[in-house]
């Protein structure tokens, strides 16, 4: 399958990077102390090469503690809402996934337009014309949070929504510390490289129907690339592509685990079927425009005043 919207990669000369690489910083006041953040966020050449090779990036502490607090403060209200966009676990009935968040919360609308998400996505995909395909929190409550089976996102995007090509990016930020114990995502390194593999629709294992990858294929891909568990402190971000095979085990630990996810897709690669509800695949194809880097902290200031 050949992408019709070609990713324009490696356009990185003279760019700023994430903390730890050379950055032009702005200063924000966090919990009484000044903290430096990159004002313009660009991936380095090494990060782009890693993304190409492995299919994902882990960006430690991309968002600050103070920003995570702003995001977490919204969660109880959103999870308490009685809406079909809150999908519940099969066994416990706890919220498993809260969808449509940029339409339900100003803070999450801001997060979807955050330059630390939008700029790297533009850079990887080589276009500024991206729309918000899906915005959600995946929660795994302590002791009872259920698994996500082995899958890659494009299988669902293509089969359910008629997305033509595997170009969408899934961008996550951890709302809790994610450890090896509380149900982290596990990636199969390099599993995107051969393109889409065979899938089947699983409507049984969890409450969320998913196009999943069979064990034989998982074993072959895992033998070739190995597994990588995505852990980190709250505020850590992940970026992964539409063909990367991943999953996550149940949370049998005493610690909750919540992760926010926004999927950004090129408008030229938008869905062509509209059977699923809007909160599973949004129909607003206007390009997402980045806000300023401090947009989450000013949301908190706005709420307090
Ligand atoms: O939250 C998880 O554990 C899995 C999320 C996932 O598979 C996805 O966002 O595609």
């Amino acid at each position: 399958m050949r992408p019709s919207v070609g990713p324009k990669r490696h356009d990185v000369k003279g760019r700023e990077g994430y903390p730890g690489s050379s950055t032009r910083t702005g200063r924000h006041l966090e919990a009484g102390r000044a903290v430096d953040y990159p004002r313009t966020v660009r991936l380095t050449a090494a990060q782009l090469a890693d993304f190409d090779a492995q299919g994902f990036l882990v960006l430690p502490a991309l968002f600050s503690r103070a920003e995570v607090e702003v995001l977490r403060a919204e969660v109880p209200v959103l999870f308490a809402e009685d809406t079909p966009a809150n999908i519940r676990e099969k066994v416990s009935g706890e919220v498993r996934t809260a969808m449509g968040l940029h339409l339900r919360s100003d803070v999450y609308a801001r997060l979807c337009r955050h330059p630390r998400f939008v700029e790297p996505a533009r850079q990887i995909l080589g276009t500024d014309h991206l729309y918000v395909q899906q915005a959600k929190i995946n929660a795994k409550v302590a002791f009872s949070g259920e698994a996500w089976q082995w899958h890659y996102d494009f299988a669902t995007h293509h089969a359910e929504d008629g997305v033509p090509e595997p170009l969408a990016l899934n961008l996550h930020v951890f709302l809790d510390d994610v450890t090896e114990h509380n149900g982290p995502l596990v990636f199969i390194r390099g599993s995107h490289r051969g393109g889409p593999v065979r899938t089947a629709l699983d409507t049984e294992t969890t409450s969320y129907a998913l196009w999943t990858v069979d064990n034989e294929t998982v074993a072959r891909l895992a033998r070739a690339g190995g597994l990588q568990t995505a852990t980190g402190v709250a505020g850590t971000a992940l970026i992964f592509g539409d063909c990367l095979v991943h999953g996550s085990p149940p949370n049998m630990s005493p610690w909750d685990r919540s992760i926010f996810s926004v999927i950004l897709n090129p408008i030229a690669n938008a869905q062509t079927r509209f059977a699923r509800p809007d909160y599973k695949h949004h129909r607003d194809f206007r390009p997402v425009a980045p806000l300023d880097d401090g947009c989450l902290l000013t949301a908190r200031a706005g709420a307090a005043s």
Side-chain angles (χ1 to χ4, degrees), residues 11 31 81 89 98 100 127 164 211 215 222 232-233 249 263 265 267 296 303 305:
D11 173 27
E81 285 172 3
E89 297 281 24
T127 174
W211 289 83
N215 289 352
V233 295
I263 295 177
N265 189 29
I267 295 163
L296 293 176
S305 61

Side-chain angles (χ1 to χ4, degrees), residues 37-297:
Y37 295 115
R39 190 172 293 142
T40 306
V41 184
R42 302 289 294 188
L43 298 169
T44 64
Q47 286 171 317
L48 288 168
D50 251 22
F51 183 82
D52 268 350
Q54 315 276 358
F56 62 89
L57 288 174
V58 180
L59 304 166
L62 183 67
F63 292 89
S64 71
R65 281 273 162 195
E67 289 171 320
V68 169
E69 275 167 31
V70 173
L71 297 170
R72 286 170 57 101
E74 297 284 290
V75 172
V77 174
L78 292 165
F79 279 28
E81 285 172 3
D82 183 14
T83 162
N86 284 350
I87 295 157
R88 294 180 178 278
E89 297 281 24
K90 193 168 181 169
V91 176
S92 69
E94 299 277 1
V95 173
R96 169 186 177 84
T97 305
M99 292 185 150
L101 291 191
H102 63 310
L103 305 178
R104 298 167 59 187
S105 153
D106 172 56
V107 165
Y108 283 99
R110 288 172 186 235
L111 183 56
C112 290
R113 297 176 60 192
H114 202 289
R116 286 177 237 155
F117 274 160
V118 176
E119 295 295 354
R122 286 177 162 190
Q123 192 183 0
I124 289 170
L125 292 168
T127 174
D128 291 353
H129 292 91
L130 305 175
Y131 71 98
V132 175
Q133 177 173 322
Q134 196 181 74
K136 62 183 181 290
I137 292 172
N138 288 334
K140 281 191 189 176
V141 171
F143 296 113
S144 65
E146 295 174 29
W148 286 81
Q149 312 92 302
W150 290 111
H151 70 285
Y152 59 93
D153 297 346
F154 180 66
T156 298
H157 302 164
H158 187 64
E160 303 291 341
D161 307 327
V163 171
E165 303 290 344
L167 299 174
L169 294 175
N170 199 333
L171 302 108
H172 283 194
V173 58
F174 298 172
L175 303 183
D176 293 302
D177 294 348
V178 178
T179 70
E180 69 270 40
H181 305 299
N182 62 355
L185 272 86
V186 181
F187 297 128
I188 304 183
R189 286 193 214 98
S191 53
H192 62 303
R193 295 185 76 85
V197 293
R198 190 180 57 218
T199 54
L201 182 61
D202 178 352
T203 58
E204 294 295 316
T205 305
T206 75
S207 57
Y208 192 77
L210 199 62
W211 289 83
T212 59
V213 179
D214 60 67
N215 289 352
E216 191 187 323
T217 306
V218 167
R220 175 175 58 78
L221 293 170
R223 268 197 302 271
L227 302 182
Q228 169 90 38
T229 303
T231 57
V233 295
T236 295
L238 309 175
I239 305 176
F240 55 97
D242 226 14
C243 277
L244 186 78
V245 178
H246 60 283
S248 62
N251 182 7
M252 60 190 290
S253 84
W255 298 289
D256 291 338
R257 189 229 76 169
S258 285
I259 300 177
F260 171 80
S261 149
V262 58
I263 295 177
L264 299 177
N265 189 29
I267 295 163
N269 190 45
Q271 65 184 144
T272 57
R273 263 200 304 282
F274 298 86
R276 295 206 298 169
D278 181 67
Y279 57 81
K280 288 191 175 168
H281 194 136
H282 294 284
R283 292 164 193 179
D284 181 348
F285 301 132
R286 283 175 299 175
V288 64
L291 298 172
D292 66 275
D293 194 72
C295 61
L296 293 176
L297 298 179

